Amino acid sequence: MSLRPILLAIVGDSAAGKSTLGDGIGALLGDQRVTVVTTDDYHKHNRKARRELRLSALHPDCNDLELLGEHLERLANGEAVQKAPYNHATGDFDAPREIRPAEFLIVEGLLGLHSPSLRAHYDVSVYLDTPEPLRHRWKVSRDTERRGYSAGQVQDVLEHREQLSALFVRPQRAHADMVVRFRPGPNAIDDTKLHATVAMRNQLRHPALPAVLEEAPLAAPRLQLRKQRAGAVLEIDGRISDAETAQAEQALMRQRPELEHILRRRTGQFTANGTQRHSNALGLAQLLIAYPVISAKIARGDSIR
């Protein structure tokens, strides 16, 4: 087995759902086989210093992206690194800890695809393109419940960051192998029924989606495939049922039998207002991301156990 892990980048704006998406992918791959690197740990300043310096964490100059690249290189070569994790509750850095590479390395954060040198590290990259109204709602909910902010403070942060998001975060979408977007339907439905759009570029080792639709007739009405010049786009109706989802999952696994050895529970799980919820569309999106990750490992000649 190669010592080099497979690197997956999950990039998106604050509260876009990166950790939720990554948690399910980690569950699919097997938590014991996954190391997660959070690029927030590479902020150059704590929250107090950023306020005094009038700097935003969204600006590349406020992040040690060179050190991030060095650490990714070392982790990719099977070496452990030391890094002080950023604590969102305190706005400061905790004591340094050792990060050891596993078979799979999931790199989550705001600016993981910012430069060509960073992009060169990944085997698969995903940009989470959450619509702004939905992201804003999620950010207010998360930051007031878990990070000690008031709703007014979160709104101020969102307004202050808008220009930087447009300048530095959103342009990374063009560099991702996959773009995933969750959105509500035309009616007021809850987050368990969000629709998902999964766009996959041609160079990615993605499944043969027409075959999936053919082999999953029960699910096919809830799955709409569009071919584009750059790749394929799969629309997943958020109302897809458990039975329809199961048939689509089985069709995917027939194309990549190795998935049967890694399919785990907890895909599609998310937390809303302190309550654990489930979304079939989220679970399918996580499986579609795991597919090229596993394919990259197999293409390199590594075994799947």
Side-chain angles (χ1 to χ4, degrees), residues 79-260:
E79 303 173 28
V81 300
Q82 291 276 340
K83 187 70 190 74
Y86 182 75
N87 187 321
H88 284 279
T90 65
D92 209 343
F93 296 93
D94 293 336
R97 65 180 178 89
E98 186 176 62
I99 304 171
R100 290 184 173 274
E103 290 181 61
F104 303 96
L105 194 71
I106 298 179
V107 184
E108 299 176 2
L110 298 166
L111 297 169
L113 298 174
H114 174 69
S115 66
S117 59
L118 283 175
R119 297 193 288 270
H121 288 291
Y122 307 116
D123 297 281
V124 180
S125 59
V126 178
Y127 182 81
L128 192 50
D129 190 26
T130 305
E132 286 298 279
L134 182 59
R135 184 180 74 84
H136 286 199
R137 174 163 65 80
W138 285 350
K139 185 167 178 62
V140 170
S141 176
R142 183 198 67 185
D143 288 3
T144 55
E145 291 176 11
R146 292 185 290 181
R147 297 188 178 178
Y149 289 89
S150 70
Q153 287 174 320
V154 180
Q155 292 293 349
D156 288 344
V157 168
L158 286 165
E159 292 175 12
H160 176 70
R161 287 182 165 187
E162 170 54 30
Q163 185 177 8
L164 293 176
S165 292
L167 282 173
F168 300 116
V169 179
R170 293 175 205 153
Q172 295 173 104
R173 183 185 191 279
H175 302 293
D177 298 319
M178 302 179 70
V179 177
V180 178
R181 183 177 179 88
F182 296 98
R183 58 179 176 80
N187 301 318
I189 56 178
D190 64 41
D191 287 355
T192 65
K193 298 293 190 294
L194 292 176
H195 301 320
T197 302
V198 182
M200 293 160 274
R201 298 193 189 279
N202 286 325
Q203 68 266 26
L204 195 69
R205 296 182 181 93
H206 60 72
L209 294 173
V212 171
L213 298 185
E214 183 177 345
E215 295 177 22
L218 189 65
R222 301 291 191 191
L223 304 173
Q224 300 298 318
L225 178 63
R226 303 196 314 270
K227 292 293 292 181
Q228 296 182 339
R229 186 174 182 179
V233 178
L234 184 67
E235 299 280 357
I236 306 170
D237 191 314
R239 297 166 296 180
I240 190 169
S241 69
D242 292 347
E244 293 164 345
T245 301
Q247 191 177 76
E249 288 177 344
Q250 291 301 316
L252 281 165
M253 287 189 289
R254 279 193 289 272
Q255 291 192 27
R256 182 93 276 169
E258 294 84 0
L259 288 170
E260 294 191 44

Side-chain angles (χ1 to χ4, degrees), residues 37-55:
V37 172
T38 303
T39 64
D40 288 355
D41 294 346
Y42 293 84
H43 293 336
K44 289 182 178 178
H45 312 286
N46 63 18
R47 186 181 299 155
K48 182 176 182 291
R50 292 199 303 271
R51 287 173 177 166
E52 291 173 350
L53 296 168
R54 301 180 67 83
L55 293 174

